Amino acid sequence: MNSSEPLSAGLKALPDKTSSFASTQAAWRFYANGSVSLSVLQEPLTAAAHEGMAKHCGQYALCVHDWSRLSYKHLNKTDTYAITHATDVGYDLQSSLIVSDLTGLPVAPVAQRLVSVDGSYATYGDAASPSPAKNHLEEVADCIQYLDAQGFPKPVVHMIDREGDSVAHIRRWDAAGSLWVVRAKDDPKVDYADKPTACKAVAAGLAFSKTRQVSYHGKAYWQWVAEAEVTLGRPAKPSQKKGKQPRVPGLPVKARLVVSRILAEDGEVLAQWLLLTNVTDVDAATIALWYYWRWQIECFFKLVKSAGHQLEAWQQESALAIAKRLLVASMACVTVWEIAADNRPEAAELRNFLIKLSGRQMRHKQAFSNPALLAGLWVFLAMSKIMDAYSQEELEGFKATAKQFLGEVV
C-alpha cells in the first residue's frame, strides 16, 4: 500500500514492534513461495472486477488492453532482455483493465502478463513455468478468449489501440463472439460504398455532428463525431519477420467506422481517431467517449510506476517475483479506485482526511488524486498500527522525548 520513492522502493514495514528485517524476510519468502501462484494472487482482483462491474457499469464493461515496457538496469536480474534494442533492457508488461462504461473510472485489472527472456508469466497460465512468448496481438487474443469465459456480470467490450488493427485478429475475435473497439490506422482499406477505401478517405467524406466539449492539451474544444457502415474484406498480411508470406483471405467482417475529431474554432482538425467496432446498440458519440476513457490504463501504469509504487525500481530478482508483487500492488490500486468512486458523504470526508495525511498539494479546484490517496492510505495504516501496537503511556513517553529535540510544537 505504501507510496514509494525511486531510491527507496522496497517493502516498508508497518510501525509495529516487528523489526523491519523480519518484514523484509517475510515478503521475500512470500514472493519466493512456489505455492503462491499468479493465478491465486489474481483471484481477489477478479472478484473485485465482478463486484465492481455490478456496482459501477451499466450496459457493458470496458476492458482496455495495453502494453508497457519495464526498464531495469539492475545486474541482479538475470532474466531481463533487450526489448527493442540493446540498451532497452527489462520486461514487457501486458495489462487488461476493466473501466466503467458509465463514468470511465477504473475498476480492476483482470489479467496481467510479464514477458522475460525465459518466456511469459500470465495470471491465466501456469506461473510455475513460463510459456513461450508470443507477439502482442497473439498474447491479447489468448487473454480475450480467457476473459470472455469468466462469466462476468456485464458483457465485456475489448478496447485496443492501433496495434490491434490487424484484420486477421479482428476476424478471430469476431468469429468467437467477442465485442471489440479497435483504433484503426489511416491507410488500411475497408469496403465502403462497394469499393475498397482507406479509412481516412472514408472519414473525409462523412457528415459530422457536434457532441461535447472536451479538454485537449489543457484547453476546451468541441468533439465532432461521424460514422459509417463498412466491411473488412481485405486479406490478412502475415508478419514478414519470417520472410515474405502470402496474404491470407478470410470471411468479411461487418463493422462500424466511428470517427472522432477535435476541432478548433476555425475548423482546423486538431486530432482525429478512427474507431472500428462491432458494437451495434450504442450510439457513435458514446463509442467515441469510451475510447477517450481508454486513457485510464495509462493512469494505471503511471500509478504502479512513477506516481506510486515505483515498479521500475523494485529489487526482486526475477520476472515471476516482480509479477507477484505487481498483483499485490494492484490490489492497493483497486482499493484507491473504490475510495475515489464512492459518492457517499462519508467517503468524501475520508478522501479529504487522506489528502491531509499525504501532505500532497492538489491543483486548483482538484479535490484529490489517486497517487495522493495512495500515499495518505499508507500514513493512515501506519497510524492505526501504531495505536494498536503501543500503549498510551509509551506514546506519551515518545512525545516527551521528542520535545527535547523539537520543542513545544510536538
Side-chain angles (χ1 to χ4, degrees), residues 12 63 82 102 154 172 189 199 237 352-353 366 374 382:
K12 286 185 181 177
C63 186
L102 298 177
K154 305 287 182 179
R172 174 177 170 181
K189 293 180 178 177
C199 287
K237 183 180 179 181
N352 292 335
F353 176 64
Q366 180 177 350
L374 183 67

Side-chain angles (χ1 to χ4, degrees), residues 36-43 112 121-125 127 320 323-324 327:
V36 180
S37 67
L38 297 184
S39 58
V40 170
L41 287 174
Q42 177 62 42
E43 288 177 3
Q112 306 216 51
Y121 296 92
T123 57
Y124 45 92
L320 180 55
K324 289 179 180 181
L327 290 174

Side-chain angles (χ1 to χ4, degrees), residues 301-356:
F301 289 144
K302 182 178 180 180
L303 191 58
V304 295
K305 291 171 75 172
S306 61
H309 291 288
Q310 303 297 336
L311 168 58
E312 291 176 306
W314 290 357
Q315 295 294 322
Q316 279 69 35
E317 298 181 1
S318 68
L320 180 55
I322 291 284
K324 289 179 180 181
R325 185 176 172 186
L326 175 60
L327 290 174
V328 176
S330 297
M331 298 176 198
C333 296
V334 170
T335 303
V336 166
W337 295 334
E338 275 298 309
I339 294 172
D342 198 313
N343 293 321
R344 294 175 299 165
E346 53 267 37
E349 292 177 1
L350 174 61
R351 288 193 292 268
N352 292 335
F353 176 64
L354 295 178
I355 295 302
K356 290 180 180 179

Side-chain angles (χ1 to χ4, degrees), residues 136-154:
H136 282 175
L137 288 184
E138 287 299 311
E139 288 177 354
V140 84
D142 292 344
C143 181
I144 289 174
Q145 181 180 358
Y146 169 80
L147 293 176
D148 283 346
Q150 295 309 297
F152 288 118
K154 305 287 182 179

Side-chain angles (χ1 to χ4, degrees), residues 225-261:
V225 174
E227 72 169 309
E229 298 293 328
V230 300
T231 301
L232 302 177
R234 67 181 185 268
K237 183 180 179 181
S239 171
Q240 301 301 309
K241 292 182 179 180
K242 297 181 180 180
K244 191 171 183 179
Q245 303 290 325
R247 292 179 179 268
V248 180
L251 295 175
V253 175
K254 294 187 178 299
R256 299 164 67 192
L257 175 65
V258 176
V259 185
S260 171
R261 284 179 175 175

Side-chain angles (χ1 to χ4, degrees), residues 180-182 184 225-232 253-259 274-288 290:
W180 41 268
V181 175
V182 174
V225 174
E227 72 169 309
E229 298 293 328
V230 300
T231 301
L232 302 177
V253 175
K254 294 187 178 299
R256 299 164 67 192
L257 175 65
V258 176
V259 185
L274 307 173
L275 309 175
L276 292 169
T277 181
N278 66 344
V279 178
T280 59
D281 56 351
V282 174
D283 61 80
T286 299
I287 297 292
W290 284 357

